Amino acid sequence: MIKVSARPFDFDLDPSQAALVVIDMQRDFIEPGGFGDTLGNDVSRLTAIIPTTAALIRLFRDQSLPIVHTREAHRPDLSDCPPAKRLRGKPGLSIGDEGTMGRILIAGEPGNQIVSELAPAAGEIVIDKPGKGMFWATGLHERLQERGITQLVFAGVTTEVCVQTSMREANDRGYECLLIVDATESYFPEFKASAIEMIVAQGAIVGWATPLAKLEAAFEQEMADG
Ligand code: C5J
């Protein structure tokens, strides 16, 4: 067991039962000229976490620990995108419409791919999810159960939408969840801050939160202790 200094109190990480989950680090949310940008968001807030997220991925790869990458992605015929979702967003730009990087949030389109700096490696799990949460209609819970995973370390975007929804879904399914605060971001700083407070409130009602440096320090301490 590795003790990670975190909020609201230390997180006991068991590497034999832990996986990293990187949520929706896709070109359309993150890159200038993508869907997020055309909606008027400041995507530089999101591009800023690419180096931290890459370092977090490296940490898990170095330890040969499992990594899950998610993409928010719909089928080209939109049969998995109900009107309750498709009709949201700014007028004139909806899921399935032609954007600057292909059709918005459609599997296989250029904008739907994970940014090259964080590209999944062979053997890592890649999930296309039609919802905000990573368990809805993905079969991910079964795949994690097969591997004996009970703890999930989270990164990705956006903190208050797909990351928080996935953490809540995970917590309801019995996973212990740790959010890496400098490897997650929102277009709205106040939403990120509030989401983190909601997650750690009431004795980690959804999960724990810590910066990457604290997780790295915990792994280093474990190696020093042998
Ligand atoms: C959003 C996401 N914000 N990945 N998706 O629509 O958080």
Side-chain angles (χ1 to χ4, degrees):
M1 205 68 85
I2 299 179
K3 204 166 272 307
V4 184
S5 171
R7 293 184 61 217
F9 50 86
D10 289 349
F11 182 84
D12 289 326
L13 180 75
D14 180 353
S16 69
Q17 300 187 13
L20 171 64
V21 180
V22 184
I23 300 282
D24 298 358
M25 291 296 283
Q26 296 163 250
R27 298 184 63 205
D28 249 337
F29 290 127
I30 289 170
E31 289 189 2
F35 177 46
D37 191 11
T38 58
L39 289 177
N41 295 303
D42 175 9
V43 294
S44 69
R45 295 186 51 77
L46 275 54
T47 51
I49 65 159
I50 290 176
T52 324
T53 310
L56 177 61
I57 289 173
R58 261 196 314 278
L59 184 66
F60 272 70
R61 283 183 186 151
D62 288 349
Q63 311 281 330
S64 301
L65 299 180
I67 301 177
V68 178
H69 305 260
T70 72
R71 294 182 293 220
E72 189 168 346
H74 293 276
R75 297 187 196 123
D77 66 2
L78 294 176
S79 56
D80 59 356
C81 187
K85 183 175 185 189
R86 187 171 46 80
L87 300 179
R88 300 284 72 79
K90 287 245 167 94
L93 255 193
S94 303
I95 295 169
D97 288 351
E98 203 62 44
T100 47
M101 296 185 194
R103 292 181 67 201
I104 293 161
L105 294 190
I106 300 299
E109 296 288 335
N112 205 237
Q113 305 312 311
I114 291 168
V115 295
S116 59
E117 297 92 328
L118 308 178
E124 294 175 355
I125 298 174
V126 181
I127 294 289
D128 278 347
K129 60 179 184 57
K132 297 173 181 65
M134 66 183 189
F135 291 105
W136 167 244
T138 63
L140 178 59
H141 185 43
E142 292 70 21
R143 293 179 72 176
L144 294 175
Q145 280 184 314
E146 277 164 19
R147 293 167 182 236
I149 303 296
T150 62
Q151 297 186 327
L152 297 171
V153 175
F154 279 85
V157 297
T158 59
T159 317
E160 78 281 10
V161 185
C162 291
V163 175
Q164 183 174 207
T165 302
S166 295
M167 289 185 75
R168 288 173 181 272
E169 282 190 343
N171 185 243
D172 281 348
R173 285 163 178 77
Y175 298 92
E176 289 178 320
C177 300
L178 173 65
L179 177 63
I180 304 303
V181 295
D182 44 356
T184 184
E185 199 42 87
S186 169
Y187 299 122
F188 309 99
E190 66 279 20
F191 288 177
K192 173 181 177 177
S194 299
I196 293 169
E197 292 311 309
M198 284 187 257
I199 285 162
V200 304
Q202 301 178 75
I205 192 158
V206 176
W208 285 254
T210 201
L212 175 62
K214 294 269 166 75
L215 183 63
E216 287 173 334
F219 273 109
E220 277 162 25
Q221 186 63 49
E222 166 72 5
M223 277 195 286
D225 293 347

